[in-house]
Amino acid sequence: MKNKKDGAGKMLSYGFRYARTGIILLFFTLSLILAGCGSDASSGSVRQQASGIPAGAVPQQAAPKTSENTGRQDTLAAGDAVKVVPATVISVAGGDTLHVKINGREEKVRLIGVNTPEIAHPDLGIKEEPYGKEAAAYTQKRLAGKQVYLELDVGERDKYGRMLAYVWLEKPANDSEAEVRAKMYNAELLLNGYAQVMTVPPNVKYADLFVKLQREAREAGKGLWGAAVTAPVSAPAYGGKSGSVAKYIGNSSSKKFHYPDCRWAKEISPRNRVEFTSRQEAINAGYQPCKVCRP
């Protein structure tokens, strides 16, 4: 009897042991499954956060970009901001030259990109040029005693020590064409025919726009462009031989000479216009032949 009881006890002990092992294995398996699910959810949350999307949020599809053909609003928006220095005009030396006061100090300012006809300066040996008085009087009327805003370019001074600037009548919101037309005095001189374009690198920020404004004034016959002199029509066609008796038209600014019917001769302002009776006379005066009409 004792052996039977001992055997039954051993079998019951083994049973409990196997059952406990099975429970442990089942619990371990369930733990692994739950850990895997949690890992996936956690990694998904991390990926969302890394991409800038809050955890639990539903990502939205990015809005399609506006194509070039449907109106690129980024390029049609206002231009870049303009850095300006406030100044007060204390006197006017000419159509394109001012004396201003900046933070208590006086500066002589030369307008960038434009050139008005000269007024007489006998002490400097400078003779008055056509439309010089009109340009100086216009600048006097528009700027004397007023506050302006100076915008500098790459080169801040010329060889005479003058400050080089674009002169804004009002503080500009940006450097767009609309702002330049409405508020910049350099542009106003060109639009009204009181000045010509004079581009001196490296100050070329508005050079292309200035050429456009000058063209508008010339085509409208404004200011000095309205006083254009009709060129002689007796000149030979392009390619005329040296020694021709026809007149040649020189540009005292560019030091080039042309046949009168050359497109570039027709664009020379009256104050820069020089006539020669022969090709040799133009060359002797230091002028170079135009590369377009080849006089």
Side-chain angles (χ1 to χ4, degrees):
M1 290 294 293
K2 185 176 179 180
N3 290 335
K4 288 182 179 181
K5 289 182 180 180
D6 292 340
K10 288 180 179 180
M11 290 180 66
L12 184 61
S13 176
Y14 288 142
F16 280 125
R17 189 176 301 171
Y18 286 132
R20 185 174 62 183
T21 302
I23 291 171
I24 293 173
L25 289 173
L26 178 62
F27 178 76
F28 181 71
T29 302
L30 290 173
S31 298
L32 289 176
I33 293 173
L34 292 174
C37 294
S39 175
D40 290 341
S42 176
S43 63
S45 174
V46 170
R47 284 194 298 270
Q48 283 184 321
Q49 293 178 6
S51 63
I53 303 174
V58 178
Q60 296 182 356
Q61 185 176 0
K65 294 183 178 179
T66 306
S67 68
E68 291 186 358
N69 296 328
T70 56
R72 294 165 46 190
Q73 294 185 1
D74 56 331
T75 58
L76 295 178
D80 296 333
V82 180
K83 294 182 179 180
V84 294
V85 178
T88 302
V89 179
I90 56 179
S91 65
V92 172
D96 52 28
T97 309
L98 319 169
H99 291 275
V100 304
K101 183 169 287 188
I102 306 173
N103 294 328
R105 76 175 190 277
E106 292 187 12
E107 289 277 3
K108 190 171 186 178
V109 175
R110 176 65 166 80
L111 275 62
I112 296 175
V114 300
N115 188 40
T116 62
E118 295 286 352
I119 58 176
H121 293 287
D123 53 330
L124 299 177
I126 299 175
K127 296 181 179 180
E128 184 172 326
E129 296 177 334
Y131 229 74
K133 283 184 178 179
E134 289 84 349
Y138 185 77
T139 298
Q140 174 74 23
K141 179 181 177 181
R142 294 288 286 133
L143 300 185
K146 295 184 179 179
Q147 179 172 344
V148 295
Y149 299 87
L150 307 181
E151 177 190 358
L152 307 182
D153 207 330
V154 178
E156 296 185 3
R157 294 186 183 274
D158 64 9
K159 62 181 181 180
Y160 305 109
R162 298 177 299 185
M163 179 180 289
L164 302 173
Y166 303 103
V167 177
W168 293 86
L169 302 173
E170 299 177 34
K171 193 171 184 179
N174 51 67
D175 60 2
S176 66
E177 179 176 341
E179 286 288 286
V180 171
R181 285 177 176 272
K183 300 177 181 179
M184 185 191 287
Y185 188 68
N186 308 51
E188 184 175 317
L189 285 173
L190 292 170
L191 282 168
N192 289 288
Y194 287 103
Q196 286 184 278
V197 171
M198 187 181 74
T199 303
V200 181
N203 294 346
V204 297
K205 179 177 180 180
Y206 300 101
D208 291 340
L209 177 55
F210 284 0
V211 171
K212 178 180 178 181
L213 302 183
Q214 175 178 273
R215 186 182 305 117
E216 292 178 15
R218 185 175 66 242
E219 291 174 354
K222 290 186 176 181
L224 59 86
W225 302 108
V229 178
T230 303
V233 295
S234 58
Y238 293 164
K241 296 180 180 179
S242 176
S244 170
V245 296
K247 290 184 178 180
Y248 298 85
I249 308 301
N251 186 330
S252 62
S253 177
S254 67
K255 291 296 181 180
K256 297 290 178 69
F257 69 97
H258 318 259
Y259 284 127
D261 57 347
C262 174
R263 55 172 293 197
W264 298 112
K266 295 177 181 179
E267 294 187 1
I268 300 173
S269 73
R271 72 185 188 84
N272 291 332
R273 187 183 183 86
V274 180
E275 292 189 0
F276 299 104
T277 57
S278 70
R279 186 177 189 276
Q280 191 60 47
E281 182 185 1
I283 292 175
N284 290 342
Y287 286 71
Q288 298 293 322
C290 170
K291 293 182 179 180
V292 177
C293 65
R294 299 179 183 276

